[in-house]
PDB file of all heavy atoms in Angstrom:
ATOM      1  N   SER A 188     -16.481 -49.130 -74.362  1.00 59.00           N
ATOM      2  CA  SER A 188     -15.825 -48.560 -73.187  1.00 59.00           C
ATOM      3  C   SER A 188     -15.943 -47.047 -73.252  1.00 59.00           C
ATOM      4  O   SER A 188     -16.071 -46.468 -74.314  1.00 59.00           O
ATOM      5  CB  SER A 188     -14.347 -48.962 -73.156  1.00 59.00           C
ATOM      6  OG  SER A 188     -13.709 -48.490 -74.329  1.00 59.00           O
ATOM      7  N   MET A 189     -15.915 -46.413 -72.074  1.00 62.00           N
ATOM      8  CA  MET A 189     -16.084 -44.964 -72.029  1.00 62.00           C
ATOM      9  C   MET A 189     -14.861 -44.334 -71.385  1.00 62.00           C
ATOM     10  O   MET A 189     -14.351 -44.824 -70.378  1.00 62.00           O
ATOM     11  CB  MET A 189     -17.346 -44.607 -71.244  1.00 62.00           C
ATOM     12  CG  MET A 189     -18.610 -45.206 -71.874  1.00 62.00           C
ATOM     13  SD  MET A 189     -20.115 -44.771 -71.004  1.00 62.00           S
ATOM     14  CE  MET A 189     -20.291 -43.067 -71.484  1.00 62.00           C
ATOM     15  N   ASN A 190     -14.371 -43.276 -71.972  1.00 61.00           N
ATOM     16  CA  ASN A 190     -13.159 -42.618 -71.501  1.00 61.00           C
ATOM     17  C   ASN A 190     -13.508 -41.496 -70.527  1.00 61.00           C
ATOM     18  O   ASN A 190     -14.337 -40.639 -70.844  1.00 61.00           O
ATOM     19  CB  ASN A 190     -12.384 -42.037 -72.679  1.00 61.00           C
ATOM     20  CG  ASN A 190     -11.976 -43.111 -73.661  1.00 61.00           C
ATOM     21  OD1 ASN A 190     -11.681 -44.230 -73.270  1.00 61.00           O
ATOM     22  ND2 ASN A 190     -11.980 -42.771 -74.938  1.00 61.00           N
ATOM     23  N   LEU A 191     -12.870 -41.515 -69.383  1.00 59.00           N
ATOM     24  CA  LEU A 191     -13.122 -40.523 -68.349  1.00 59.00           C
ATOM     25  C   LEU A 191     -11.952 -39.549 -68.268  1.00 59.00           C
ATOM     26  O   LEU A 191     -10.798 -39.946 -68.159  1.00 59.00           O
ATOM     27  CB  LEU A 191     -13.299 -41.221 -67.003  1.00 59.00           C
ATOM     28  CG  LEU A 191     -13.375 -40.316 -65.769  1.00 59.00           C
ATOM     29  CD1 LEU A 191     -14.635 -39.469 -65.821  1.00 59.00           C
ATOM     30  CD2 LEU A 191     -13.339 -41.147 -64.500  1.00 59.00           C
ATOM     31  N   TYR A 192     -12.304 -38.260 -68.318  1.00 56.00           N
ATOM     32  CA  TYR A 192     -11.296 -37.218 -68.183  1.00 56.00           C
ATOM     33  C   TYR A 192     -11.652 -36.335 -66.998  1.00 56.00           C
ATOM     34  O   TYR A 192     -12.814 -35.979 -66.806  1.00 56.00           O
ATOM     35  CB  TYR A 192     -11.232 -36.356 -69.456  1.00 56.00           C
ATOM     36  CG  TYR A 192     -10.744 -37.119 -70.655  1.00 56.00           C
ATOM     37  CD1 TYR A 192     -11.620 -37.896 -71.400  1.00 56.00           C
ATOM     38  CD2 TYR A 192      -9.413 -37.076 -71.026  1.00 56.00           C
ATOM     39  CE1 TYR A 192     -11.175 -38.612 -72.500  1.00 56.00           C
ATOM     40  CE2 TYR A 192      -8.961 -37.783 -72.136  1.00 56.00           C
ATOM     41  CZ  TYR A 192      -9.848 -38.556 -72.861  1.00 56.00           C
ATOM     42  OH  TYR A 192      -9.401 -39.254 -73.951  1.00 56.00           O
ATOM     43  N   GLU A 193     -10.660 -36.016 -66.196  1.00 57.00           N
ATOM     44  CA  GLU A 193     -10.874 -35.143 -65.052  1.00 57.00           C
ATOM     45  C   GLU A 193      -9.835 -34.035 -65.104  1.00 57.00           C
ATOM     46  O   GLU A 193      -8.632 -34.302 -65.188  1.00 57.00           O
ATOM     47  CB  GLU A 193     -10.758 -35.924 -63.746  1.00 57.00           C
ATOM     48  CG  GLU A 193     -11.174 -35.119 -62.530  1.00 57.00           C
ATOM     49  CD  GLU A 193     -11.311 -35.992 -61.292  1.00 57.00           C
ATOM     50  OE1 GLU A 193     -11.114 -37.219 -61.389  1.00 57.00           O
ATOM     51  OE2 GLU A 193     -11.618 -35.429 -60.223  1.00 57.00           O
ATOM     52  N   TRP A 194     -10.351 -32.774 -65.069  1.00 58.00           N
ATOM     53  CA  TRP A 194      -9.472 -31.630 -65.233  1.00 58.00           C
ATOM     54  C   TRP A 194      -8.643 -31.741 -66.508  1.00 58.00           C
ATOM     55  O   TRP A 194      -7.475 -31.359 -66.575  1.00 58.00           O
ATOM     56  CB  TRP A 194      -8.545 -31.463 -64.023  1.00 58.00           C
ATOM     57  CG  TRP A 194      -9.260 -31.153 -62.759  1.00 58.00           C
ATOM     58  CD1 TRP A 194      -9.430 -31.969 -61.686  1.00 58.00           C
ATOM     59  CD2 TRP A 194      -9.935 -29.941 -62.426  1.00 58.00           C
ATOM     60  NE1 TRP A 194     -10.167 -31.365 -60.719  1.00 58.00           N
ATOM     61  CE2 TRP A 194     -10.492 -30.088 -61.147  1.00 58.00           C
ATOM     62  CE3 TRP A 194     -10.137 -28.728 -63.092  1.00 58.00           C
ATOM     63  CZ2 TRP A 194     -11.222 -29.106 -60.516  1.00 58.00           C
ATOM     64  CZ3 TRP A 194     -10.875 -27.743 -62.463  1.00 58.00           C
ATOM     65  CH2 TRP A 194     -11.397 -27.937 -61.188  1.00 58.00           C
ATOM     66  N   GLY A 195      -9.250 -32.302 -67.543  1.00 57.00           N
ATOM     67  CA  GLY A 195      -8.585 -32.381 -68.832  1.00 57.00           C
ATOM     68  C   GLY A 195      -7.592 -33.522 -68.960  1.00 57.00           C
ATOM     69  O   GLY A 195      -6.940 -33.653 -69.981  1.00 57.00           O
ATOM     70  N   GLU A 196      -7.444 -34.374 -67.931  1.00 57.00           N
ATOM     71  CA  GLU A 196      -6.485 -35.478 -67.990  1.00 57.00           C
ATOM     72  C   GLU A 196      -7.228 -36.815 -67.951  1.00 57.00           C
ATOM     73  O   GLU A 196      -8.214 -36.970 -67.256  1.00 57.00           O
ATOM     74  CB  GLU A 196      -5.516 -35.407 -66.807  1.00 57.00           C
ATOM     75  CG  GLU A 196      -4.632 -34.168 -66.833  1.00 57.00           C
ATOM     76  CD  GLU A 196      -3.654 -34.162 -65.671  1.00 57.00           C
ATOM     77  OE1 GLU A 196      -3.640 -35.160 -64.923  1.00 57.00           O
ATOM     78  OE2 GLU A 196      -2.920 -33.178 -65.531  1.00 57.00           O
ATOM     79  N   TRP A 197      -6.676 -37.784 -68.715  1.00 51.00           N
ATOM     80  CA  TRP A 197      -7.273 -39.118 -68.746  1.00 51.00           C
ATOM     81  C   TRP A 197      -7.127 -39.795 -67.389  1.00 51.00           C
ATOM     82  O   TRP A 197      -6.066 -39.796 -66.792  1.00 51.00           O
ATOM     83  CB  TRP A 197      -6.572 -39.951 -69.828  1.00 51.00           C
ATOM     84  CG  TRP A 197      -7.040 -41.364 -69.887  1.00 51.00           C
ATOM     85  CD1 TRP A 197      -8.159 -41.819 -70.498  1.00 51.00           C
ATOM     86  CD2 TRP A 197      -6.396 -42.501 -69.324  1.00 51.00           C
ATOM     87  NE1 TRP A 197      -8.269 -43.169 -70.359  1.00 51.00           N
ATOM     88  CE2 TRP A 197      -7.189 -43.626 -69.622  1.00 51.00           C
ATOM     89  CE3 TRP A 197      -5.220 -42.688 -68.578  1.00 51.00           C
ATOM     90  CZ2 TRP A 197      -6.860 -44.909 -69.231  1.00 51.00           C
ATOM     91  CZ3 TRP A 197      -4.888 -43.965 -68.177  1.00 51.00           C
ATOM     92  CH2 TRP A 197      -5.709 -45.061 -68.497  1.00 51.00           C
ATOM     93  N   MET A 198      -8.234 -40.372 -66.880  1.00 51.00           N
ATOM     94  CA  MET A 198      -8.209 -40.996 -65.563  1.00 51.00           C
ATOM     95  C   MET A 198      -8.478 -42.498 -65.614  1.00 51.00           C
ATOM     96  O   MET A 198      -7.886 -43.255 -64.868  1.00 51.00           O
ATOM     97  CB  MET A 198      -9.254 -40.353 -64.655  1.00 51.00           C
ATOM     98  CG  MET A 198      -8.970 -38.882 -64.358  1.00 51.00           C
ATOM     99  SD  MET A 198      -7.459 -38.651 -63.397  1.00 51.00           S
ATOM    100  CE  MET A 198      -7.936 -39.406 -61.849  1.00 51.00           C
ATOM    101  N   ALA A 199      -9.400 -42.940 -66.485  1.00 46.00           N
ATOM    102  CA  ALA A 199      -9.752 -44.361 -66.477  1.00 46.00           C
ATOM    103  C   ALA A 199     -10.550 -44.699 -67.721  1.00 46.00           C
ATOM    104  O   ALA A 199     -11.080 -43.827 -68.397  1.00 46.00           O
ATOM    105  CB  ALA A 199     -10.578 -44.701 -65.236  1.00 46.00           C
ATOM    106  N   ILE A 200     -10.579 -45.992 -68.021  1.00 43.00           N
ATOM    107  CA  ILE A 200     -11.506 -46.492 -69.028  1.00 43.00           C
ATOM    108  C   ILE A 200     -12.558 -47.306 -68.295  1.00 43.00           C
ATOM    109  O   ILE A 200     -12.224 -48.188 -67.506  1.00 43.00           O
ATOM    110  CB  ILE A 200     -10.790 -47.371 -70.068  1.00 43.00           C
ATOM    111  CG1 ILE A 200      -9.805 -46.521 -70.876  1.00 43.00           C
ATOM    112  CG2 ILE A 200     -11.804 -48.025 -71.001  1.00 43.00           C
ATOM    113  CD1 ILE A 200      -9.049 -47.300 -71.919  1.00 43.00           C
ATOM    114  N   HIS A 201     -13.780 -47.025 -68.515  1.00 45.00           N
ATOM    115  CA  HIS A 201     -14.859 -47.729 -67.844  1.00 45.00           C
ATOM    116  C   HIS A 201     -15.954 -47.888 -68.850  1.00 45.00           C
ATOM    117  O   HIS A 201     -16.061 -47.081 -69.793  1.00 45.00           O
ATOM    118  CB  HIS A 201     -15.307 -46.930 -66.616  1.00 45.00           C
ATOM    119  CG  HIS A 201     -15.936 -45.619 -66.978  1.00 45.00           C
ATOM    120  ND1 HIS A 201     -17.283 -45.387 -66.979  1.00 45.00           N
ATOM    121  CD2 HIS A 201     -15.387 -44.455 -67.419  1.00 45.00           C
ATOM    122  CE1 HIS A 201     -17.532 -44.152 -67.360  1.00 45.00           C
ATOM    123  NE2 HIS A 201     -16.399 -43.562 -67.627  1.00 45.00           N
ATOM    124  N   CYS A 202     -16.780 -48.737 -68.920  1.00 49.00           N
ATOM    125  CA  CYS A 202     -17.124 -49.763 -67.991  1.00 49.00           C
ATOM    126  C   CYS A 202     -17.633 -50.920 -68.819  1.00 49.00           C
ATOM    127  O   CYS A 202     -17.686 -50.817 -70.036  1.00 49.00           O
ATOM    128  CB  CYS A 202     -18.188 -49.262 -67.033  1.00 49.00           C
ATOM    129  SG  CYS A 202     -19.634 -48.675 -67.937  1.00 49.00           S
ATOM    130  N   THR A 203     -18.016 -51.991 -68.262  1.00 46.00           N
ATOM    131  CA  THR A 203     -18.614 -53.089 -69.015  1.00 46.00           C
ATOM    132  C   THR A 203     -20.122 -52.932 -69.004  1.00 46.00           C
ATOM    133  O   THR A 203     -20.696 -52.498 -68.004  1.00 46.00           O
ATOM    134  CB  THR A 203     -18.250 -54.434 -68.363  1.00 46.00           C
ATOM    135  OG1 THR A 203     -18.668 -54.411 -67.000  1.00 46.00           O
ATOM    136  CG2 THR A 203     -16.765 -54.681 -68.444  1.00 46.00           C
ATOM    137  N   PRO A 204     -20.795 -53.273 -70.095  1.00 46.00           N
ATOM    138  CA  PRO A 204     -22.258 -53.172 -70.107  1.00 46.00           C
ATOM    139  C   PRO A 204     -22.874 -54.059 -69.041  1.00 46.00           C
ATOM    140  O   PRO A 204     -22.366 -55.129 -68.724  1.00 46.00           O
ATOM    141  CB  PRO A 204     -22.629 -53.660 -71.507  1.00 46.00           C
ATOM    142  CG  PRO A 204     -21.406 -53.468 -72.323  1.00 46.00           C
ATOM    143  CD  PRO A 204     -20.262 -53.702 -71.391  1.00 46.00           C
ATOM    144  N   ASP A 205     -23.968 -53.596 -68.474  1.00 46.00           N
ATOM    145  CA  ASP A 205     -24.684 -54.368 -67.469  1.00 46.00           C
ATOM    146  C   ASP A 205     -25.949 -54.915 -68.116  1.00 46.00           C
ATOM    147  O   ASP A 205     -26.908 -54.192 -68.344  1.00 46.00           O
ATOM    148  CB  ASP A 205     -25.032 -53.459 -66.279  1.00 46.00           C
ATOM    149  CG  ASP A 205     -25.804 -54.194 -65.200  1.00 46.00           C
ATOM    150  OD1 ASP A 205     -26.012 -55.416 -65.366  1.00 46.00           O
ATOM    151  OD2 ASP A 205     -26.193 -53.558 -64.221  1.00 46.00           O
ATOM    152  N   ASP A 206     -25.959 -56.199 -68.418  1.00 50.00           N
ATOM    153  CA  ASP A 206     -27.084 -56.800 -69.126  1.00 50.00           C
ATOM    154  C   ASP A 206     -28.334 -56.936 -68.265  1.00 50.00           C
ATOM    155  O   ASP A 206     -29.390 -57.313 -68.770  1.00 50.00           O
ATOM    156  CB  ASP A 206     -26.694 -58.183 -69.665  1.00 50.00           C
ATOM    157  CG  ASP A 206     -25.616 -58.080 -70.737  1.00 50.00           C
ATOM    158  OD1 ASP A 206     -25.580 -57.039 -71.415  1.00 50.00           O
ATOM    159  OD2 ASP A 206     -24.828 -59.025 -70.877  1.00 50.00           O
ATOM    160  N   THR A 207     -28.219 -56.648 -66.977  1.00 50.00           N
ATOM    161  CA  THR A 207     -29.408 -56.732 -66.119  1.00 50.00           C
ATOM    162  C   THR A 207     -30.245 -55.473 -66.212  1.00 50.00           C
ATOM    163  O   THR A 207     -31.334 -55.406 -65.645  1.00 50.00           O
ATOM    164  CB  THR A 207     -29.006 -56.944 -64.644  1.00 50.00           C
ATOM    165  OG1 THR A 207     -28.325 -55.769 -64.171  1.00 50.00           O
ATOM    166  CG2 THR A 207     -28.103 -58.155 -64.499  1.00 50.00           C
ATOM    167  N   LYS A 208     -29.749 -54.463 -66.901  1.00 48.00           N
ATOM    168  CA  LYS A 208     -30.462 -53.187 -67.001  1.00 48.00           C
ATOM    169  C   LYS A 208     -31.021 -53.008 -68.409  1.00 48.00           C
ATOM    170  O   LYS A 208     -30.382 -53.358 -69.389  1.00 48.00           O
ATOM    171  CB  LYS A 208     -29.524 -52.014 -66.687  1.00 48.00           C
ATOM    172  CG  LYS A 208     -28.931 -52.067 -65.285  1.00 48.00           C
ATOM    173  CD  LYS A 208     -30.002 -51.863 -64.238  1.00 48.00           C
ATOM    174  CE  LYS A 208     -29.410 -51.926 -62.843  1.00 48.00           C
ATOM    175  NZ  LYS A 208     -30.453 -51.830 -61.808  1.00 48.00           N
ATOM    176  N   ASN A 209     -32.240 -52.451 -68.482  1.00 43.00           N
ATOM    177  CA  ASN A 209     -32.808 -52.116 -69.785  1.00 43.00           C
ATOM    178  C   ASN A 209     -32.159 -50.868 -70.349  1.00 43.00           C
ATOM    179  O   ASN A 209     -32.095 -50.672 -71.554  1.00 43.00           O
ATOM    180  CB  ASN A 209     -34.316 -51.889 -69.662  1.00 43.00           C
ATOM    181  CG  ASN A 209     -35.046 -53.165 -69.304  1.00 43.00           C
ATOM    182  OD1 ASN A 209     -34.660 -54.226 -69.753  1.00 43.00           O
ATOM    183  ND2 ASN A 209     -36.069 -53.057 -68.488  1.00 43.00           N
ATOM    184  N   SER A 210     -31.714 -50.013 -69.451  1.00 43.00           N
ATOM    185  CA  SER A 210     -31.038 -48.796 -69.876  1.00 43.00           C
ATOM    186  C   SER A 210     -30.107 -48.369 -68.752  1.00 43.00           C
ATOM    187  O   SER A 210     -30.103 -48.937 -67.680  1.00 43.00           O
ATOM    188  CB  SER A 210     -32.048 -47.692 -70.193  1.00 43.00           C
ATOM    189  OG  SER A 210     -32.737 -47.325 -69.023  1.00 43.00           O
ATOM    190  N   GLY A 211     -29.328 -47.355 -69.014  1.00 44.00           N
ATOM    191  CA  GLY A 211     -28.408 -46.875 -67.987  1.00 44.00           C
ATOM    192  C   GLY A 211     -26.999 -47.330 -68.293  1.00 44.00           C
ATOM    193  O   GLY A 211     -26.768 -48.204 -69.115  1.00 44.00           O
ATOM    194  N   TYR A 212     -26.056 -46.740 -67.585  1.00 45.00           N
ATOM    195  CA  TYR A 212     -24.678 -47.105 -67.825  1.00 45.00           C
ATOM    196  C   TYR A 212     -23.866 -46.846 -66.562  1.00 45.00           C
ATOM    197  O   TYR A 212     -24.215 -46.025 -65.727  1.00 45.00           O
ATOM    198  CB  TYR A 212     -24.083 -46.340 -69.007  1.00 45.00           C
ATOM    199  CG  TYR A 212     -24.452 -44.881 -69.072  1.00 45.00           C
ATOM    200  CD1 TYR A 212     -23.597 -43.916 -68.569  1.00 45.00           C
ATOM    201  CD2 TYR A 212     -25.660 -44.488 -69.628  1.00 45.00           C
ATOM    202  CE1 TYR A 212     -23.930 -42.583 -68.631  1.00 45.00           C
ATOM    203  CE2 TYR A 212     -26.000 -43.149 -69.696  1.00 45.00           C
ATOM    204  CZ  TYR A 212     -25.137 -42.199 -69.194  1.00 45.00           C
ATOM    205  OH  TYR A 212     -25.480 -40.880 -69.253  1.00 45.00           O
ATOM    206  N   SER A 213     -22.782 -47.605 -66.419  1.00 45.00           N
ATOM    207  CA  SER A 213     -21.978 -47.554 -65.210  1.00 45.00           C
ATOM    208  C   SER A 213     -20.943 -46.443 -65.264  1.00 45.00           C
ATOM    209  O   SER A 213     -20.541 -45.999 -66.330  1.00 45.00           O
ATOM    210  CB  SER A 213     -21.247 -48.880 -65.003  1.00 45.00           C
ATOM    211  OG  SER A 213     -22.142 -49.959 -65.097  1.00 45.00           O
ATOM    212  N   PHE A 214     -20.494 -46.053 -64.094  1.00 47.00           N
ATOM    213  CA  PHE A 214     -19.441 -45.054 -63.980  1.00 47.00           C
ATOM    214  C   PHE A 214     -18.386 -45.611 -63.028  1.00 47.00           C
ATOM    215  O   PHE A 214     -18.676 -45.873 -61.866  1.00 47.00           O
ATOM    216  CB  PHE A 214     -20.039 -43.752 -63.439  1.00 47.00           C
ATOM    217  CG  PHE A 214     -19.014 -42.710 -63.082  1.00 47.00           C
ATOM    218  CD1 PHE A 214     -17.908 -42.510 -63.869  1.00 47.00           C
ATOM    219  CD2 PHE A 214     -19.187 -41.924 -61.957  1.00 47.00           C
ATOM    220  CE1 PHE A 214     -16.975 -41.542 -63.546  1.00 47.00           C
ATOM    221  CE2 PHE A 214     -18.258 -40.953 -61.622  1.00 47.00           C
ATOM    222  CZ  PHE A 214     -17.153 -40.768 -62.411  1.00 47.00           C
ATOM    223  N   GLN A 215     -17.186 -45.862 -63.520  1.00 46.00           N
ATOM    224  CA  GLN A 215     -16.134 -46.423 -62.691  1.00 46.00           C
ATOM    225  C   GLN A 215     -14.918 -45.507 -62.681  1.00 46.00           C
ATOM    226  O   GLN A 215     -14.611 -44.861 -63.670  1.00 46.00           O
ATOM    227  CB  GLN A 215     -15.703 -47.794 -63.221  1.00 46.00           C
ATOM    228  CG  GLN A 215     -16.832 -48.806 -63.273  1.00 46.00           C
ATOM    229  CD  GLN A 215     -16.380 -50.066 -63.971  1.00 46.00           C
ATOM    230  OE1 GLN A 215     -15.210 -50.423 -63.908  1.00 46.00           O
ATOM    231  NE2 GLN A 215     -17.296 -50.734 -64.636  1.00 46.00           N
ATOM    232  N   THR A 216     -14.237 -45.474 -61.561  1.00 45.00           N
ATOM    233  CA  THR A 216     -12.965 -44.771 -61.481  1.00 45.00           C
ATOM    234  C   THR A 216     -11.952 -45.705 -60.834  1.00 45.00           C
ATOM    235  O   THR A 216     -12.292 -46.813 -60.415  1.00 45.00           O
ATOM    236  CB  THR A 216     -13.076 -43.493 -60.622  1.00 45.00           C
ATOM    237  OG1 THR A 216     -13.230 -43.877 -59.249  1.00 45.00           O
ATOM    238  CG2 THR A 216     -14.248 -42.651 -61.056  1.00 45.00           C
ATOM    239  N   ARG A 217     -10.720 -45.258 -60.724  1.00 44.00           N
ATOM    240  CA  ARG A 217      -9.680 -46.113 -60.154  1.00 44.00           C
ATOM    241  C   ARG A 217      -9.927 -46.402 -58.686  1.00 44.00           C
ATOM    242  O   ARG A 217      -9.329 -47.308 -58.119  1.00 44.00           O
ATOM    243  CB  ARG A 217      -8.321 -45.442 -60.330  1.00 44.00           C
ATOM    244  CG  ARG A 217      -7.887 -45.349 -61.792  1.00 44.00           C
ATOM    245  CD  ARG A 217      -6.530 -44.731 -61.938  1.00 44.00           C
ATOM    246  NE  ARG A 217      -6.496 -43.352 -61.454  1.00 44.00           N
ATOM    247  CZ  ARG A 217      -5.431 -42.565 -61.518  1.00 44.00           C
ATOM    248  NH1 ARG A 217      -4.307 -43.036 -62.022  1.00 44.00           N
ATOM    249  NH2 ARG A 217      -5.484 -41.328 -61.087  1.00 44.00           N
ATOM    250  N   THR A 218     -10.820 -45.641 -58.034  1.00 46.00           N
ATOM    251  CA  THR A 218     -11.074 -45.866 -56.608  1.00 46.00           C
ATOM    252  C   THR A 218     -12.080 -46.993 -56.378  1.00 46.00           C
ATOM    253  O   THR A 218     -12.321 -47.367 -55.247  1.00 46.00           O
ATOM    254  CB  THR A 218     -11.636 -44.594 -55.956  1.00 46.00           C
ATOM    255  OG1 THR A 218     -12.867 -44.234 -56.607  1.00 46.00           O
ATOM    256  CG2 THR A 218     -10.657 -43.442 -56.118  1.00 46.00           C
ATOM    257  N   MET A 219     -12.652 -47.540 -57.463  1.00 41.00           N
ATOM    258  CA  MET A 219     -13.648 -48.588 -57.293  1.00 41.00           C
ATOM    259  C   MET A 219     -12.993 -49.869 -56.796  1.00 41.00           C
ATOM    260  O   MET A 219     -11.957 -50.292 -57.284  1.00 41.00           O
ATOM    261  CB  MET A 219     -14.345 -48.861 -58.626  1.00 41.00           C
ATOM    262  CG  MET A 219     -15.155 -47.693 -59.141  1.00 41.00           C
ATOM    263  SD  MET A 219     -16.441 -47.186 -57.996  1.00 41.00           S
ATOM    264  CE  MET A 219     -17.380 -48.690 -57.906  1.00 41.00           C
ATOM    265  N   SER A 220     -13.638 -50.493 -55.806  1.00 42.00           N
ATOM    266  CA  SER A 220     -13.095 -51.747 -55.285  1.00 42.00           C
ATOM    267  C   SER A 220     -13.455 -52.923 -56.182  1.00 42.00           C
ATOM    268  O   SER A 220     -12.721 -53.900 -56.255  1.00 42.00           O
ATOM    269  CB  SER A 220     -13.641 -52.006 -53.866  1.00 42.00           C
ATOM    270  OG  SER A 220     -15.062 -52.049 -53.874  1.00 42.00           O
ATOM    271  N   LYS A 221     -14.620 -52.831 -56.838  1.00 42.00           N
ATOM    272  CA  LYS A 221     -15.049 -53.915 -57.718  1.00 42.00           C
ATOM    273  C   LYS A 221     -15.476 -53.335 -59.069  1.00 42.00           C
ATOM    274  O   LYS A 221     -16.636 -52.985 -59.257  1.00 42.00           O
ATOM    275  CB  LYS A 221     -16.217 -54.693 -57.105  1.00 42.00           C
ATOM    276  CG  LYS A 221     -15.860 -55.472 -55.859  1.00 42.00           C
ATOM    277  CD  LYS A 221     -17.072 -56.246 -55.365  1.00 42.00           C
ATOM    278  CE  LYS A 221     -16.740 -57.075 -54.137  1.00 42.00           C
ATOM    279  NZ  LYS A 221     -17.926 -57.824 -53.674  1.00 42.00           N
ATOM    280  N   PRO A 222     -14.540 -53.229 -59.978  1.00 41.00           N
ATOM    281  CA  PRO A 222     -14.936 -52.718 -61.297  1.00 41.00           C
ATOM    282  C   PRO A 222     -15.848 -53.723 -61.994  1.00 41.00           C
ATOM    283  O   PRO A 222     -15.784 -54.911 -61.729  1.00 41.00           O
ATOM    284  CB  PRO A 222     -13.603 -52.582 -62.035  1.00 41.00           C
ATOM    285  CG  PRO A 222     -12.721 -53.592 -61.374  1.00 41.00           C
ATOM    286  CD  PRO A 222     -13.129 -53.609 -59.929  1.00 41.00           C
ATOM    287  N   GLY A 223     -16.700 -53.221 -62.844  1.00 39.00           N
ATOM    288  CA  GLY A 223     -17.547 -54.158 -63.577  1.00 39.00           C
ATOM    289  C   GLY A 223     -18.935 -53.620 -63.794  1.00 39.00           C
ATOM    290  O   GLY A 223     -19.118 -52.576 -64.402  1.00 39.00           O
TER     291      GLY A 223
END
């Protein structure tokens, strides 16, 4: 999981690995309608 900080404050923990990708990583925030 990756920890997101905005303006020095913790905002969210994201994300789950996407096994359909050879590389890359997701970026999620609390505004996401479908986390994952």
